[in-house]
Amino acid sequence: MGELGTPVARPLQDGGDRYKGADLLAKLRYRWVPDHIFGEILSKKWIDNAAPFAFLLLTVLVFSHLLPGFFDPSSLSATSRELGEFTLVVMGMMIVIAGGGIDLSVGSNFALANLVTLAGLDLLNWSLPLTFAATVLTCAMVGAVNGVLVGFLRLRAFLTTLVTLIIVRAAVDMALLKYSVAISSGTFDSPVWDYVGGGSVGGLPFSFIVAVVVAVVVHIFLSRTRPGWRILAVGGSRRSAHNVGLSVRSMVCSTYVISGVMTGVAGFLYAARLGSLNTDAGVGLEVSALTAAILGGNSLGGGRSSTAKALMGAVTVMIVTTGVMRLGLVSGSGQAVMGVILAVAVAIDVRWMKNRDKVLGKFYVSPTFVKLPACPDTTADGTTNYALNTRLRAAEAIGLGEVEGPEDVIFDADDNLYTGTRHGDIVRFLAPDYRRSEVFCHIGGHPLGMAFTKDGDLVSCVGGMGVYAVNKQGVVRKLTDETNRSWFSIIDDSRFRLADDVDIAPDGKLYFSEATIRYDMAGWITDALEGRGNGRLICYDPATNKTKTLIGKLVFPNGVCLSHDGQSILFAESWMCRINRYWISGPKAGQLETLISDLPGYPDNINRASDGTYWLALMGMRGPALEVAMKMPAFRKRMTRRLPGDEWIVPNINTGCIVKFNDRGEIVDSLWDFGGQNHPMITSMRENKGYLYIGGITNNRVGRFKLDDADPNWTAHASYWGA
């Protein structure tokens, strides 16, 4: 079972005790073959890198076979010098693409950088730092021209940068005709200049080291800084970025300036390596750089880019270009190969972006085999304590039409009533008659399960956000929104997706459930159809501000309640129709046991009753069609693929009830609204001074039901913290 505080990995446990034939085979097959893993792998962001990485490996294998000495250290040293320069250009192109643009002028801008560098040193006798600054500034100005035309004047990026390519290339050619002889006759002698062009650090060329450093900076810029996030946001959707207040035009302009700076640095390193003018400098570079950026997996449509993708694309293109040259193919073969690769890369990018969600939808949902125990008799004339009745029809409504989605209800020490709404508010109804209400605070997400601390702070699980606390003045603060990540989890399960109910132990520790780590609040139906152990029980200690998972692999864990003696936590597993007990102190500390295994419905919140028992909300009742389907995982998978969501066989949550059970797991009473005339769906209830207050996540009211045999002075707040 594990000691207290040590995560207990609870495997999926089916309710049935005996399996025959096909049931047994299905149970074993879906328990030991983890179908969901493939879908989780497809959902990872790095899966976009799989194709370019595979293509890179294929390229290495092909050219290592065609050219046996191609990857020798001496050969790699020469290639890596060119790779450093090329990578810088690809980085600049990638940033432009991330912002939703394209820069075809990088080739001519690269040639301009080579010209300015050599002219500054050999013709104008400038110092090396001044020449470097002039080169980078000149190329940045070309980028700024592109940025102004595309970003501020909103011209077409493709045509604009194509025109810039032609104009800058023409200017470079004219300058070469006039000054090439004078530049070539100049002699600039400097050990620093020689080191930039031919030096190395630890056996790695200087230009390659520069490219690696720049790649790290670009990665941090795009993934860890606000300007980088804004560029990706602009590339993803310019209209949305504009609507949220981002300066779209200036962000687009900045990407072209950055591209110009990168190209200028690359051209400076190129000039240092060759030391002479080259009329072919930068010719076709725009095609190679664009191919590398797209081949690496960066989306041509913008908004999806990474440094790793650009690096893989740059290495692949450099290997192909150099390999084609060493094979001695006819002139133009390299460009032809680049054109074919670019066409394939664009086709893959377009098709993948268009069908990614479809592919993920086919594989991510992964139902498993679930067999529940026989459903107890709930007929009106039955012999069990679940017998149907209409007692809840006598419940009166509080706040009718004033609240939407009051999932849980709770009282403070002054008997004021609190509940959450789907609009992100916590509403307070004022005692004693609860006719007056006010918005106590606004959290933002849907407040679900709630509990009061000893100091009077209201703690609430908030769907999709985590666990938050609200002080008496209505000031909201976050307590926790992440826990320790599982060692063998493919998806990142550290952040909370659906924390749903919470209770507080005498030592102040918070125990709460997270229903699922695979789906958000709107995806509860899909989680129900999976029937997989996607949930967990978690503990947060405010004294140390540490959060730790106690039990994993639970099937939609829900209501959480501290036992009357304070030694254990009772919690529900909704789709398994059972209640569990987890001991937090005493001789059984750290042990997990099933208290009720065969409920007739899907349990939700659990709370204390005045007579030492517990109230339990059943948010819906079991049905034969779903229970048959739960033993047919393949059928459920086909259903989710082929049918719209409103035609799925799903748990019935239109009719529920409230039951009372004791510490031995025995049902002692039940309250129904048969037919659902007053409270058709119940997710919580709270006893207070002789009344039972009822919440429902799809209701528009809070119910109040008179308990004839209850203690009229008992309150849950006093039960936890005293008078």
Side-chain angles (χ1 to χ4, degrees):
M1 291 295 183
E3 298 178 356
L4 180 60
T6 302
V8 177
R10 175 172 181 167
L12 178 63
Q13 298 179 1
D14 300 314
D17 296 322
R18 297 180 180 179
Y19 299 92
K20 296 181 180 179
D23 281 0
L24 178 60
L25 293 177
K27 175 178 179 291
L28 295 176
R29 177 258 185 268
Y30 285 97
R31 173 168 292 181
W32 296 109
V33 180
D35 301 63
H36 65 289
I37 289 180
F38 184 63
E40 289 178 350
I41 291 175
L42 287 178
S43 70
K44 300 296 290 183
K45 291 183 178 180
W46 52 258
I47 197 64
D48 292 342
N49 297 337
F53 183 72
F55 193 81
L56 173 59
L57 290 180
L58 178 63
T59 303
V60 171
L61 291 175
V62 169
F63 282 98
S64 62
H65 175 72
L66 296 177
L67 300 169
F70 187 71
F71 293 102
D72 290 343
S74 58
S75 177
L76 289 177
S77 178
T79 304
S80 60
R81 292 189 186 278
E82 299 179 39
L83 177 61
E85 302 157 9
F86 181 61
T87 298
L88 291 172
V89 179
V90 173
M91 289 292 168
M93 178 72 79
M94 182 263 292
I95 291 176
V96 173
I97 292 175
I102 190 172
D103 189 359
L104 299 180
S105 67
V106 292
S108 57
N109 207 13
F110 182 84
L112 178 62
N114 179 50
L115 174 64
V116 172
T117 300
L118 295 176
L121 295 176
D122 297 332
L123 184 63
L124 302 177
N125 297 319
W126 287 347
S127 65
L128 193 60
L130 177 60
T131 302
F132 176 76
T135 301
V136 173
L137 180 61
T138 301
C139 293
M141 290 177 62
V142 174
V145 171
N146 287 329
V148 170
L149 294 175
V150 176
F152 288 95
L153 299 184
R154 303 176 69 179
L155 301 182
R156 297 280 186 179
F158 183 89
L159 294 177
T160 300
T161 56
L162 179 62
V163 170
T164 309
L165 178 151
I166 296 171
I167 294 175
V168 174
R169 176 64 69 179
V172 170
D173 290 342
M174 289 187 291
L176 287 175
L177 289 174
K178 187 173 183 178
Y179 299 108
S180 59
V181 176
I183 294 174
S184 300
S185 61
T187 56
F188 179 79
D189 187 17
S190 168
V192 177
W193 178 244
D194 295 337
Y195 181 80
V196 171
S200 61
V201 179
L204 297 175
F206 178 79
S207 61
F208 184 78
I209 296 297
V210 172
V212 170
V213 172
V214 171
V216 172
V217 173
V218 170
H219 171 71
I220 296 173
F221 173 74
L222 286 178
S223 63
R224 296 294 185 272
T225 67
R226 289 186 178 182
W229 298 338
R230 289 171 179 172
I231 287 175
L232 293 174
V234 168
S237 175
R238 293 190 179 181
R239 181 181 296 275
S240 298
H242 173 75
N243 290 339
V244 299
L246 297 183
S247 179
V248 173
R249 296 182 179 183
S250 61
M251 297 305 297
V252 171
C253 180
S254 66
T255 62
Y256 287 94
V257 174
I258 294 173
S259 176
V261 170
M262 297 281 195
T263 305
V265 175
F268 181 85
L269 296 174
Y270 174 81
R273 177 167 60 87
L274 295 183
S276 61
L277 291 173
N278 185 352
T279 56
D280 293 333
V283 173
L285 182 60
E286 60 280 344
V287 176
S288 299
L290 182 61
T291 303
I294 303 302
L295 182 62
N298 296 292
S299 175
L300 189 60
R304 180 170 57 91
S305 298
S306 78
T307 304
K309 296 174 182 178
L311 286 175
M312 286 189 291
V315 173
T316 302
V317 169
M318 182 56 61
I319 291 175
V320 171
T321 303
T322 308
V324 168
M325 292 177 57
R326 294 192 182 183
L327 286 173
L329 299 180
V330 297
S331 177
S333 298
Q335 291 298 314
V337 172
M338 286 300 102
V340 172
I341 293 176
L342 178 60
V344 173
V346 171
I348 293 175
D349 175 69
V350 172
R351 297 301 298 176
W352 173 246
M353 286 299 296
K354 183 177 180 180
N355 298 292
R356 186 177 190 275
D357 290 339
K358 294 180 180 179
V359 174
L360 184 59
K362 289 182 178 181
F363 292 99
Y364 192 80
V365 180
S366 179
T368 190
F369 180 90
V370 178
K371 182 180 180 181
L372 297 177
C375 184
D377 182 15
T378 60
T379 58
D381 55 354
T383 58
T384 70
N385 285 328
Y386 294 116
L388 285 169
N389 55 70
T390 58
R391 293 165 64 186
L392 284 183
R393 290 186 186 176
E396 60 180 301
I398 296 175
L400 181 62
E402 299 179 29
V403 292
E404 293 184 38
E407 199 271 350
D408 195 13
V409 291
I410 195 170
F411 292 84
D412 62 16
D414 299 321
D415 285 339
N416 296 311
L417 170 64
Y418 298 77
T419 188
T421 74
R422 69 178 183 87
H423 301 293
D425 298 327
I426 293 181
V427 177
R428 175 166 59 188
F429 290 90
L430 303 178
D433 55 9
Y434 307 115
R435 294 181 180 178
R436 294 178 299 149
S437 66
E438 61 185 9
V439 175
F440 176 57
C441 70
H442 178 76
I443 290 182
H446 195 155
L448 302 176
M450 295 183 287
F452 269 105
T453 68
K454 186 175 182 179
D455 296 330
D457 288 351
L458 177 60
V459 176
S460 176
C461 291
V462 183
M465 295 173 58
V467 182
Y468 286 72
V470 189
N471 65 17
K472 295 179 180 179
Q473 291 72 41
V475 178
V476 180
R477 72 180 188 279
K478 181 180 70 177
L479 296 180
T480 178
D481 61 356
E482 60 182 354
T483 183
N484 54 298
R485 181 169 180 173
S486 303
W487 283 100
F488 301 106
S489 176
I490 296 175
I491 60 175
D492 184 0
D493 61 352
S494 60
R495 298 301 293 267
F496 300 148
R497 305 191 73 167
L498 187 51
D500 52 2
D501 197 21
V502 60
D503 212 347
I504 306 175
D507 59 3
K509 291 181 180 178
L510 275 63
Y511 293 87
F512 60 96
S513 56
E514 184 180 23
T516 174
I517 62 173
R518 283 167 55 85
Y519 301 98
D520 55 21
M521 193 167 177
W524 69 267
I525 292 178
T526 310
D527 187 90
L529 290 178
E530 277 199 350
R532 188 175 295 279
N534 297 328
R536 52 193 174 178
L537 182 69
I538 303 170
C539 176
Y540 168 73
D541 188 352
T544 60
N545 199 32
K546 296 291 181 63
T547 307
K548 187 175 183 63
T549 299
L550 299 178
I551 311 173
K553 298 184 179 180
L554 298 171
V555 185
F556 209 84
N558 211 322
V560 175
C561 180
L562 182 72
S563 63
H564 284 278
D565 61 9
Q567 293 191 355
S568 62
I569 293 291
L570 307 177
F571 67 91
E573 280 185 276
S574 295
W575 311 138
M576 296 305 296
C577 302
R578 66 186 170 205
I579 305 297
N580 303 305
R581 185 198 300 272
Y582 178 70
W583 295 90
I584 60 175
S585 63
K588 293 184 177 181
Q591 295 186 21
L592 175 67
E593 61 189 29
T594 299
L595 187 63
I596 306 175
S597 62
D598 57 349
L599 289 167
Y602 307 108
D604 204 305
N605 285 4
I606 309 170
N607 284 304
R608 292 179 178 180
S610 59
D611 58 359
T613 59
Y614 305 91
W615 294 107
L616 168 65
L618 297 182
M619 59 179 168
M621 306 310 295
R622 292 163 58 176
L626 180 61
E627 299 208 2
V628 171
M630 293 304 288
K631 295 188 289 184
M632 305 167 63
F635 165 77
R636 304 201 309 275
K637 192 173 186 69
R638 290 194 301 271
M639 179 177 66
T640 58
R641 286 184 180 182
R642 301 177 182 179
L643 297 179
D646 58 355
E647 296 182 14
W648 293 353
I649 301 176
V650 298
N652 166 32
I653 60 170
N654 293 322
T655 299
C657 73
I658 299 171
V659 300
K660 182 188 284 190
F661 66 93
N662 59 26
D663 276 306
R664 296 184 298 275
E666 300 168 340
I667 304 300
V668 297
D669 198 4
S670 63
L671 304 171
W672 291 78
D673 178 14
F674 183 53
Q677 295 183 12
N678 199 352
H679 287 277
M681 194 268 194
I682 299 171
T683 54
S684 67
M685 69 279 104
R686 193 88 57 165
E687 183 178 338
N688 190 75
K689 292 188 174 180
Y691 286 86
L692 195 63
Y693 294 81
I694 308 166
I697 199 169
T698 61
N699 292 343
N700 65 346
R701 78 209 77 174
V702 173
R704 180 165 66 175
F705 177 75
K706 183 70 169 65
L707 298 171
D708 296 329
D709 300 328
D711 182 352
N713 298 313
W714 185 91
T715 67
H717 194 281
S719 175
Y720 279 84
W721 309 116

